[in-house]
Amino acid sequence: MVKLNAGWREIPIGGKIVDAGNAREYETGSWRATTPVVDQEECINCLLCWILCPDSSIDVKDEEMVGFHLRFCKGCGICAEICPVDAIEMVPETEPEE
Amino acid sequence: MSRFEAMDGNTATAEAMRQVNPDVVAAYPITPQTSTVQTFSQFVADGEVDTEFIRVESEHSAMSACIGASAAGGRVMTATSANGLALMWEMVYIAASNRAPIVMTVVNRALSGPINIHCDHSDSMGTRDAGWIQLFGENPQEGYDNAIQAVRIAEHEDVLLPVMSMYDGFITSHGLERVQIEDDEAVRDFIGPFTAHDALLDVDNPVTYGPLDFYDFYMEHKRQQVEAMKYAKRVIPEVAADFEKHFGRRYGFFDEYRLDDAELALVVLSSTAGTARSVVDSLRAQGLKVGLLKPRVFRPFPAEELADALRDKIVVGVMDRSDSFGALGGPLFVELSAALKTYDVSAKMVDYVFGLGGRDTTPSQIESVFRDLAEMAETGEIKQLVTYLGVRE
């Protein structure tokens, strides 16, 4: 992976990225303005959110939805929109941790 | 064994392409380039090459396909002219910044409008900042030789830049001349096998081409292109020296004719240099100390070498076959003026814009340019900075 402050002699020519799977290094979570919060009591584990999340940010363990990968979640709200039981709420970034 | 044939520039270029046997050629017909790729497509149809020939719906697609094929790991060639090059514009820049070593023959033709199919240099001069290496050839032989050398220059691992090889539309593209066609094996031996860098088809080493490149890295990638051009200035003479060893014909950054002891120098690209040479001879016979410099390499611009070649001249007349509207003069004049100023050459300089849209340039017109230069040398004054040679007032 190219270092952020690398000089022109140290980086691949032509803007090419020669490391595979590098999307993992790009933490799009910093783009987020609203954060999804799930109510596990309501969730029926239909996994529609897991199917539709454009950033593969739904955390699933043993076929159960257990939360979000917030380093990558952009806060688009598709999961909240699609949830058939309204178990996901989008909370403004300023007050997500309560 | 090499052979001599009567060939026009486009047929000679198609011969070079046949001998190079590129993996992919993607092209769209446009006058006066058409017969280059048409002749080559016959080689494809006859099974004389292994090339994948891609018929596209526009030049934008042609260059896009070339870039894709190059990224995939292929040796790629194409050809175009004028408005075809203009339609490629976006992709011409991307080819260079992706560092795709594509070789493209550009048969020089006036850009529309008004629409015109004949020669001037406005098409390739417009792309002089696109990041391509640019070679200008005088005749079919030079078109053939430059196309072959271009492959070696483009693919050199310290360069990896696309190369444009130019010659004059119709005058050179369709004019029959004696051309020495080298032996197929000798040409293939000269260019060597193709080594792909970061090929998309190399599935064991995945690579991403063309990702977003913002303020954090874009400038570093541009700096790399500058460096590649600097390397090209070293590689172009190396390739020329090896070419001379293989085939006996000598190439440099530029060609000098009776320039050494000349006081008045004329600088002109491509086929007009042939006419100018005969004028130099006739004026030399009259005792005028005149000489000619014909640039071959326009990008990278050999500024210091040109300055050294013109250092002790009294007046330098530049002939530009295209204009840069609103600039000090034509592109060759502006660039050469900057070079001579930078390297402390004190010669006076004037510009003659000529031959736009294919207008003929006669020996008597070139003689009138030399007479102007002689007068300027005598009076020490520049009568007119830019003259439009042969325009009706």
Side-chain angles (χ1 to χ4, degrees):
Chain A
M1 194 69 185
V2 167
K3 285 198 234 61
L4 198 60
N5 291 319
W8 62 267
R9 289 181 187 84
E10 304 168 273
I11 59 175
I13 61 167
K16 289 179 276 194
I17 300 173
V18 294
D19 312 285
N22 55 76
R24 198 173 288 119
E25 309 293 328
Y26 193 18
E27 300 189 2
T28 47
S30 65
W31 301 12
R32 201 170 55 244
T34 57
T35 300
V37 176
V38 63
D39 181 348
Q40 298 286 12
E41 303 287 306
E42 297 291 327
C43 176
I44 57 172
N45 287 313
C46 66
L47 299 188
L48 270 179
C49 55
W50 178 82
I51 291 167
L52 290 164
C53 175
D55 286 304
S56 307
S57 293
I58 306 297
D59 196 4
V60 173
K61 283 199 177 72
D62 301 326
E63 298 184 18
E64 288 190 6
M65 193 278 193
V66 296
F68 306 93
H69 299 295
L70 292 179
R71 280 168 64 206
F72 300 101
C73 167
K74 294 188 189 119
C76 70
I78 287 176
C79 53
E81 186 68 28
I82 204 69
C83 180
V85 294
D86 293 330
I88 299 173
E89 190 190 353
M90 299 304 293
V91 179
E93 266 292 279
T94 46
E95 46 188 290
E97 303 290 339
E98 295 154 38
Chain B
M1 278 295 286
S2 71
R3 62 185 201 276
F4 287 99
E5 287 204 35
M7 271 189 187
D8 62 31
N10 285 354
T11 312
T13 301
E15 269 296 294
M17 291 170 75
R18 181 186 63 73
Q19 295 178 319
V20 171
N21 192 14
D23 296 305
V24 174
V25 168
Y28 192 82
I30 184 165
T31 304
Q33 168 280 126
T34 305
S35 61
T36 310
V37 172
Q38 186 182 331
T39 305
F40 182 77
S41 67
Q42 190 67 52
F43 296 143
V44 177
D46 293 346
E48 290 188 46
V49 288
D50 309 308
T51 307
E52 184 77 30
F53 187 87
I54 308 176
R55 285 168 294 258
V56 287
E57 75 277 24
S58 75
E59 281 86 355
H60 188 278
S61 303
M63 186 45 67
S64 299
C66 287
I67 293 166
S70 183
R75 178 178 260 165
V76 183
M77 297 180 89
T78 186
T80 194
S81 287
N83 294 45
L85 180 61
L87 186 51
M88 279 182 188
W89 218 264
E90 177 188 17
M91 307 317 295
V92 168
Y93 275 75
I94 291 171
S97 45
N98 271 13
R99 309 295 296 276
I102 297 163
V103 172
M104 172 163 68
T105 293
V106 174
V107 183
N108 282 133
R109 162 187 152 180
L111 276 174
S112 296
I115 192 164
N116 182 302
I117 60 167
H118 291 283
C119 176
D120 71 33
H121 299 162
S122 52
D123 50 2
S124 55
M125 279 303 174
T127 57
R128 64 192 184 275
D129 292 338
W132 287 57
I133 290 162
Q134 294 187 315
L135 312 174
F136 282 87
E138 179 182 335
N139 48 42
Q141 184 73 62
E142 293 192 6
Y144 171 82
D145 292 348
N146 280 342
I148 292 167
Q149 290 178 65
V151 173
R152 276 270 299 268
I153 297 164
E155 293 173 6
H156 193 286
E157 64 174 0
D158 293 331
V159 178
L160 292 173
L161 288 175
V163 181
M164 260 182 226
S165 164
M166 267 70 72
Y167 48 80
D168 285 348
F170 289 111
I171 302 158
T172 304
S173 67
H174 288 63
L176 282 182
E177 288 195 31
R178 191 181 87 139
V179 181
Q180 186 168 8
I181 300 294
E182 302 298 339
D183 179 65
D184 288 4
E185 283 311 309
V187 171
R188 281 165 199 169
D189 179 51
F190 173 76
I191 60 169
F194 179 63
T195 309
H197 296 262
D198 302 318
L200 286 174
L201 290 179
D202 178 5
V203 291
D204 295 328
N205 297 291
V207 57
T208 303
Y209 273 82
L212 272 180
D213 193 19
F214 284 163
Y215 34 74
D216 43 2
F217 280 107
Y218 183 90
M219 203 159 163
E220 280 68 30
H221 290 127
K222 294 296 123 181
R223 179 64 185 82
Q224 291 175 334
Q225 284 179 251
V226 174
E227 197 68 5
M229 274 288 179
K230 283 186 190 165
Y231 272 117
K233 243 191 100 184
R234 195 199 72 213
V235 167
I236 291 166
E238 282 174 9
V239 171
D242 199 36
F243 187 86
E244 187 183 358
K245 213 162 67 188
H246 274 72
F247 306 119
R249 290 181 295 282
R250 173 174 289 188
Y251 286 89
F253 290 125
F254 43 80
D255 181 56
E256 297 176 28
Y257 186 68
R258 304 185 82 163
L259 190 69
D260 259 0
D261 65 334
E263 294 172 349
L264 313 173
L266 188 72
V267 180
V268 65
L269 291 163
S270 301
S271 68
T272 314
T275 318
R277 229 176 262 119
S278 73
V279 176
V280 166
D281 284 343
S282 70
L283 292 180
R284 279 276 181 176
Q286 296 169 33
L288 234 61
K289 294 182 101 174
V290 296
L292 174 76
L293 188 151
K294 178 191 72 173
R296 168 182 177 240
V297 181
F298 192 78
R299 282 289 182 269
F301 195 74
E304 198 171 356
E305 292 79 0
L306 285 164
D308 285 342
L310 297 167
R311 187 162 297 283
D312 53 358
K313 310 305 162 203
I314 298 170
V315 185
V316 175
V318 178
M319 289 179 68
D320 264 295
R321 202 162 191 164
S322 65
D323 208 351
S324 180
F325 305 104
L328 193 61
L332 184 57
F333 173 74
V334 170
E335 200 99 12
L336 193 61
S337 297
L340 298 202
K341 167 73 181 162
T342 302
Y343 294 102
D344 297 319
V345 178
S346 58
K348 292 213 175 313
M349 287 188 68
V350 283
D351 192 20
Y352 293 82
V353 175
F354 76 102
L356 302 186
R359 179 156 299 183
D360 274 340
T361 302
T362 62
S364 64
Q365 282 174 332
I366 295 173
E367 188 179 329
S368 79
V369 170
F370 276 121
R371 300 281 179 204
D372 278 359
L373 303 187
E375 194 188 320
M376 278 178 252
E378 212 174 285
T379 63
E381 278 174 33
I382 293 170
K383 210 163 60 178
Q384 191 169 331
L385 191 65
V386 183
T387 302
Y388 289 82
L389 201 61
V391 78
R392 291 185 298 275
E393 296 295 341

